Amino acid sequence: MSLILVTDDGPIRTVRMNRPEKKNALTRPLYEAIGAALTEKREGLRCIVILGNESGFTAGNDIADFLAAGEQGNALERPTVRFLHVLARCETPLVAAVNGVAVGVGTTMLLHCDHVVAASDARLSTPFVALGLLPEAASTLIGPRLMGYARAFELFVMGRPFSAEEAKAAGLVNRVVAPQELEAAALAAARAIAALPPESVKIARRLMRGPLDETIKRIDEEVAIFGERLTSPEAKAAFKAFLERKK
Ligand code: COA
């Protein structure tokens, strides 16, 4: 079974995570596959929509992969870092359609999307610190800027889950719709973006997103510390507790 399902339809590409049996938890190959779908050029491509499936948006980084990386003494593995760079550098506008669980990078990746539609059942959470880790994807930079320090601290450090409406109030989500309307609403937003003059979109986007170097530098800074945290006894214990919770 393909880890992602990619569909090209005129100016719009949809990229659907497809690991429903693990709530689309992101493994190294899954990061690679999404990264490739975000970077692969096509004449006339104007907007990319990232979707989950009936199991939710994504349960975040695969915990078994975190454990393996920690035990091998790796920093956050390269495919993950590459994915974060691809997200930050992506030149095609990104729309996300978020339903159900959006854990960890499932929430922080939204900071790099240009438009986010959430189903009313979406639940955004980042339990990084509870796992002995730290927020990534430049969320320590973009999060406080977007929603103010207090809310960013609550979401990214305290790990309190935000409902779709709370995420909208925080500026992370544009629209909240009924779950059955999610895909149509996300595609409608993508079509609206795709219909705009692409060069103007590109320039406005580049200016509005702020200095790319600063974002990449923060991603790398977070990654370096994240790598150390992965090997910490508290992080390893948290991963093992999750993986063994049903035994
Ligand atoms: N990594 C690896 N496997 C994961 C996973 C993850 N991040 N999230 C879910 N899964 C797996 C579960 O182990 C389970 O597999 P199994 O059926 O073989 O046991 C399957 O996906 C379904 O998850 P389950 O926990 O049974 O669903 P739930 O609805 O009870 O809970 C979550 C959903 C997302 C709340 C819960 O799975 C969870 O907390 N996952 C970890 C999220 C996380 O900490 N991610 C890292 C962020 S930094």
Side-chain angles (χ1 to χ4, degrees):
M1 194 164 73
S2 303
L3 289 171
I4 58 167
L5 303 173
V6 180
T7 310
D8 277 325
D9 184 8
I12 295 163
R13 170 174 296 161
T14 56
V15 179
R16 187 186 294 282
M17 294 174 269
N18 188 36
R19 201 185 172 217
E21 71 286 2
K22 297 286 182 188
K23 301 213 172 244
N24 301 325
L26 294 158
T27 55
R28 283 159 283 182
L30 194 33
Y31 280 117
E32 292 280 25
I34 305 172
L38 298 191
T39 41
E40 192 205 338
K41 297 268 187 283
R42 174 171 63 77
E43 186 58 36
L45 179 65
R46 301 272 185 268
C47 190
I48 299 175
V49 183
I50 305 174
L51 300 142
N53 46 38
E54 68 289 349
S55 77
F57 188 61
T58 166
N61 200 101
D62 189 282
I63 300 270
D65 270 17
F66 268 163
L67 187 62
E71 282 177 349
Q72 289 155 13
N74 287 347
L76 199 56
E77 302 144 287
R78 296 322 296 176
T80 315
V81 181
R82 263 199 300 276
F83 171 74
L84 298 178
H85 282 202
V86 163
L87 262 185
R89 293 183 192 280
C90 187
E91 290 192 348
T92 309
L94 297 173
V95 170
V98 185
N99 64 306
V101 290
V103 189
V105 68
T107 289
T108 56
M109 76 166 81
L110 305 178
L111 295 166
H112 300 274
C113 292
D114 301 281
H115 190 92
V116 180
V117 184
S120 50
D121 68 353
R123 189 176 155 88
L124 290 78
S125 63
T126 59
F128 296 109
V129 174
L131 289 169
L133 303 170
L134 82 156
E136 36 63 302
S139 55
T140 61
L141 177 74
I142 307 171
R145 277 187 191 165
L146 176 75
M147 59 185 78
Y149 181 83
R151 268 190 299 204
F153 189 87
E154 193 174 15
L155 178 65
F156 296 114
V157 179
M158 294 173 74
R160 186 177 77 72
F162 278 18
S163 66
E165 286 296 348
E166 283 175 305
K168 181 166 179 264
L172 190 53
V173 160
N174 291 85
R175 273 190 77 197
V176 179
V177 298
Q180 65 275 16
E181 290 166 15
L182 178 67
E183 215 164 309
L187 286 171
R191 277 193 293 272
I193 295 168
L196 295 165
E199 273 309 303
S200 290
V201 172
K202 191 173 170 182
I203 297 162
R205 207 173 164 264
R206 178 169 58 75
L207 292 171
M208 287 176 73
R209 289 162 80 92
L212 179 60
D213 289 356
E214 190 186 17
T215 306
I216 296 289
K217 187 166 167 260
R218 182 59 64 93
I219 288 174
D220 291 345
E221 230 175 298
E222 291 165 351
V223 161
I225 307 166
F226 204 107
E228 290 165 19
R229 300 299 307 150
L230 277 176
T231 63
S232 69
E234 59 198 29
K236 285 184 188 170
F239 304 151
K240 283 187 180 145
F242 175 75
L243 295 171
E244 287 167 10
R245 75 201 187 291
K246 291 185 184 173
K247 287 183 185 160

